[in-house]
Amino acid sequence: MKKNTISDILNAKGREKLAMITAYDALFSKIFDPLVDMILIGDSLNMSFGGHKDTLCLTPDQMIYHASVVANSSKHALVVADMPFGTTIDEKTTLKNAIRLYKESGVDAVKIEGDKRIAPIIRRLSDEGIAVMGHIGLRPQLSRFEGGYKIKGRKQGEMEKMLEDAYAIESAGAFSLVIEGTLSKIATKITKEISIPTIGIGSGVDTDGQVLVWSDMLGFFDEFKPKFVKAYLNGAELTRNAVKTYVDEVKSNKFPSKEFEYSE
């Protein structure tokens, strides 16, 4: 199966929708890889995989580890890794951290949360041959600062600001743009206005593609469910039922039966 490239993603705009999903390990990336266009090693792994309340304490070493196993096991999808919180504070710091992530993990691109102020950083990384996906709208790395996860576009002037952000990120050389937690009419307008693909999450159907966290869309994370998440499987319940059956069979001496034993 052909490996997706940055050009393939750019050329998809206006032609076909792009499907993206998160993965954090080789097991699930191998399952997802033949089916999706892109895989994201999101800093969401700090919550769904690490059990933390937000994404902020994820370290560069942790991201490199997870990104490397996903990149190594993905033969078709374009692989993108989040730049963790605190690694993009200025141009010099971002370049150093992005080069390390790019070299040590083998991912195809990095994703950076930020508004138009990160445009010079994106331009510098692009000049150095590092592909960048932008991320505007609801930015999880601001969750503590903003007092939670706030939907964007409801306040006066937010549409104009987000358009400015999108234009700046596009002009700086980003190959695509995530729009998260934003009123659908704004995401639709941005998608029509810029030439690079937009990837929505909680931003309506009119973006050029969609991304979901795998444990959300497969129903494994059931502590709460955001409004935008559609669960395509009740994974947590199915897994609990299977483990309960296993435990019952062990305790009742039904497992292992003769068919699971080695004979002479």
Side-chain angles (χ1 to χ4, degrees):
M1 187 175 256
K2 177 182 175 293
K3 172 74 174 179
N4 275 343
T5 65
I6 299 297
S7 294
D8 293 324
I9 302 305
L10 285 165
N11 291 335
K13 188 175 178 80
R15 298 173 57 189
E16 64 173 315
K17 293 279 190 170
L18 294 163
M20 188 179 200
I21 192 171
T22 65
Y24 315 125
D25 57 36
L27 176 64
F28 279 97
S29 62
K30 286 180 180 179
I31 295 172
F32 302 151
D33 179 58
L35 305 172
V36 298
D37 301 297
M38 293 185 283
I39 291 177
L40 172 66
I41 306 98
D43 55 8
S44 55
L45 75 87
N46 207 45
M47 301 170 71
S48 58
F49 192 91
H52 296 282
K53 65 179 181 179
D54 55 34
T55 67
L56 303 188
C57 63
L58 183 74
T59 69
D61 285 345
Q62 289 171 325
M63 175 54 73
I64 288 170
Y65 169 77
H66 288 276
S68 65
V69 296
V70 171
N72 186 57
S73 57
S74 300
K75 310 304 178 186
H76 165 66
L78 189 89
V79 179
V80 184
D82 267 335
M83 293 290 290
F85 177 75
T87 63
T88 60
I89 57 175
D90 56 42
E91 192 173 313
K92 182 179 179 180
T93 301
T94 307
L95 182 61
K96 177 182 177 181
N97 289 324
I99 287 175
R100 184 185 173 215
L101 174 58
Y102 213 56
K103 288 175 67 175
E104 294 185 25
S105 71
V107 297
D108 302 303
V110 299
K111 181 169 74 65
I112 302 177
E113 292 185 21
D115 57 21
K116 63 183 179 181
R117 291 171 291 183
I118 66 166
I121 291 174
I122 293 175
R123 186 173 294 109
R124 179 65 190 280
L125 266 58
S126 298
D127 288 343
E128 296 296 333
I130 300 175
V132 180
M133 173 182 282
H135 183 146
I136 63 172
L138 189 159
R139 289 153 50 192
Q141 291 180 1
L142 291 180
S143 62
R144 290 189 202 171
F145 178 78
E146 295 185 339
Y149 300 95
K150 310 294 185 181
I151 301 302
K152 303 302 178 182
R154 291 172 173 164
K155 295 180 180 179
Q156 185 72 25
E158 280 191 320
M159 175 182 283
E160 291 75 15
K161 182 183 182 305
M162 289 185 66
L163 275 168
E164 289 179 7
D165 295 338
Y167 290 139
I169 289 169
E170 174 191 25
S171 297
F175 76 94
S176 60
L177 179 64
V178 168
I179 306 175
E180 180 171 358
T182 298
L183 296 187
S184 58
K185 65 179 182 180
I186 298 177
T188 297
K189 184 169 181 59
I190 292 172
T191 299
K192 290 179 178 178
E193 292 285 334
I194 65 175
S195 62
I196 59 175
T198 58
I199 308 299
I201 176 168
S203 298
V205 72
D206 291 328
T207 52
D208 296 305
Q210 300 291 329
V211 60
L212 282 177
V213 173
W214 80 263
S215 51
D216 289 339
M217 61 89 65
L218 293 180
F220 280 92
F221 188 78
D222 57 0
E223 293 180 21
F224 67 90
K225 189 179 81 169
K227 181 180 180 181
F228 62 82
V229 171
K230 178 177 180 179
Y232 290 82
L233 182 74
N234 196 340
E237 183 176 350
L238 290 171
T239 302
R240 278 192 290 265
N241 289 340
V243 173
K244 184 179 183 302
T245 300
Y246 161 70
V247 171
D248 290 344
E249 290 192 357
V250 168
K251 291 183 178 297
S252 64
N253 217 34
K254 290 183 179 179
F255 177 82
S257 58
K258 290 293 183 181
E259 63 182 303
F260 300 106
E261 292 180 359
Y262 294 104
S263 57
E264 295 181 2

